[in-house]
């Protein structure tokens, strides 16, 4: 049995798209096939870009930049059947130097049934990632998730003590010195942002060398204070 999850609060930057599910998405089990969810979520991405006043064809025509999908991550929490009238909530999770990360939720009768993250990178005629033009970024900024945008800041904004900041900098930097292996690349799930350390469990943080319970308490308090100051 699939556990139902209530839809989370609006992020303020969401674009909501309403879709009535047709037979073309349905598989022999009588519900939307898992491979068709990206097609449905694409309608939300298109709506957001339309609200921004530009689409991907126009980006190519105006800037000579094409849009390559490099990652897509669906999550399934419930079923959607033919005739269901669903809502897709779409925001931009991260607006990077060369990439756009869409974060989407699908709602069916007030229940969240699926989620989707899509990372699109802009490339030039040689297929090399290329910086997003400033005027395009300005069009997209109103649709960036406020909380994600703030929490993706480097954790230096937390005002941690020098010792704790240095320990985290060393551990969450792109590389760290391993006593036997030399330089070791850090797992990509660890990053040096407020969001990065906020989502790591206490148990995992305590595995960081020279980071004890007092340091952990400082980190958690500073994150809580930061969220409160930003209204998150």
């Amino acid at each position: 049995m699939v556990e139902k999850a209530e839809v989370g609060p609006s992020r303020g930057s969401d674009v909501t798209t309403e879709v009535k599910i047709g037979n073309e998405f349905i598989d022999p089990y009588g519900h939307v096939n898992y491979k068709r969810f990206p097609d449905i979520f694409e309608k939300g991405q298109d709506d957001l870009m339309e609200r921004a006043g530009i689409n991907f064809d126009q980006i190519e025509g105006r800037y000579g930049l094409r849009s390559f999908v490099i990652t897509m991550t669906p999550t399934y929490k419930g079923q959607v059947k033919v005739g269901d009238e669903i809502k897709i909530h779409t925001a931009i999770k991260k607006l990077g130097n060369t990439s756009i990360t869409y974060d989407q939720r699908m709602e069916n009768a007030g229940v969240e049934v699926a989620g989707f993250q899509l990372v699109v990178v802009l490339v030039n005629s040689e297929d090399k990632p290329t910086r997003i033009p400033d005027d395009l970024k300005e069009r997209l900024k109103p649709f960036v998730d406020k909380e994600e945008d703030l929490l993706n800041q480097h954790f230096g904004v937390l005002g941690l003590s020098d010792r704790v900041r240095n320990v985290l900098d060393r551990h969450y930097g792109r590389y760290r010195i391993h006593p036997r292996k030399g330089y070791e690349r850090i797992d990509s799930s660890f990053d040096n942002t407020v969001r990065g350390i906020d989502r790591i469990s206490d148990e995992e943080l305590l595995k960081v060398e020279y980071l004890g319970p007092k340091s952990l308490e400082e980190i958690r308090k500073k994150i809580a204070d930061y969220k409160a100051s930003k209204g998150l």
Side-chain angles (χ1 to χ4, degrees):
M1 181 177 178
V2 178
E3 182 179 350
K4 293 184 177 181
E6 294 299 321
V7 177
S10 170
R11 294 164 287 195
S13 52
D14 283 350
V15 171
T16 299
T17 305
E18 296 184 357
V19 179
K20 186 171 182 178
I21 301 300
N23 280 306
E24 68 270 24
F25 300 112
I26 305 301
D27 65 15
Y29 295 116
H31 58 206
V32 173
N33 186 271
Y34 73 97
K35 291 183 288 187
R36 299 307 306 275
F37 275 87
D39 296 330
I40 301 173
F41 276 114
E42 187 176 14
K43 298 177 185 294
Q45 300 151 26
D46 290 343
D47 270 3
L48 186 149
M49 297 303 286
E50 183 178 345
R51 288 275 298 276
I54 197 165
N55 59 41
F56 287 110
D57 287 338
Q58 291 169 331
I59 290 174
E60 183 173 5
R62 188 174 303 177
Y63 306 105
L65 300 176
R66 293 179 292 166
S67 310
F68 283 8
V69 172
I70 58 170
T71 307
M72 61 179 185
T73 309
T75 55
Y76 307 104
K77 302 179 180 181
Q79 299 185 75
V80 181
K81 299 182 178 182
V82 66
D84 285 350
E85 297 182 357
I86 58 133
K87 292 181 180 180
I88 300 169
H89 305 287
T90 305
I92 293 175
K93 181 176 183 178
K94 184 177 180 181
L95 193 55
N97 289 328
T98 64
S99 65
I100 305 166
T101 302
Y102 295 93
D103 188 61
Q104 298 178 277
R105 299 175 295 179
M106 184 180 295
E107 172 188 349
N108 188 10
V111 174
E112 186 172 336
V113 292
F116 193 63
Q117 282 197 14
L118 181 80
V119 182
V120 175
V121 65
L122 299 187
V123 301
N124 60 18
S125 59
E126 299 177 347
D127 295 342
K128 294 181 178 179
T130 303
R131 186 178 182 85
I132 299 173
D134 290 340
D135 58 329
L136 177 55
K137 270 196 168 183
E138 289 302 314
R139 286 179 179 270
L140 297 175
K141 278 182 180 179
F143 306 99
V144 175
D145 181 351
K146 177 187 175 186
E147 180 174 346
E148 287 289 346
D149 192 33
L150 288 170
L151 293 183
N152 279 327
Q153 294 190 52
H154 186 276
F155 56 64
V157 303
L158 296 177
L160 295 164
S161 63
D162 288 344
R163 190 190 72 81
V164 172
R165 189 175 67 250
N166 289 338
V167 168
L168 290 176
D169 273 328
R170 183 168 61 250
H171 188 82
Y172 285 87
R174 188 176 181 188
Y175 294 90
R176 70 164 180 251
I177 298 176
H178 190 278
R180 292 181 301 278
K181 302 177 185 176
Y183 282 101
E184 179 187 26
R185 191 175 181 88
I186 294 296
D187 188 297
S188 61
S189 65
F190 287 5
D191 61 61
N192 59 351
T193 64
V194 179
R195 168 65 76 193
I197 58 174
D198 189 35
R199 69 187 177 189
I200 300 292
S201 68
D202 289 356
E203 182 181 17
E204 286 299 313
L205 276 174
L206 286 173
K207 291 179 182 178
V208 176
E209 191 175 11
Y210 305 123
L211 191 69
K214 286 188 177 179
S215 299
L216 176 62
E217 183 179 354
E218 177 187 343
I219 291 168
R220 294 304 186 207
K221 184 179 186 305
K222 291 291 188 179
I223 291 176
D225 290 345
Y226 179 77
K227 284 183 170 182
S229 71
K230 302 298 182 182
L232 303 178

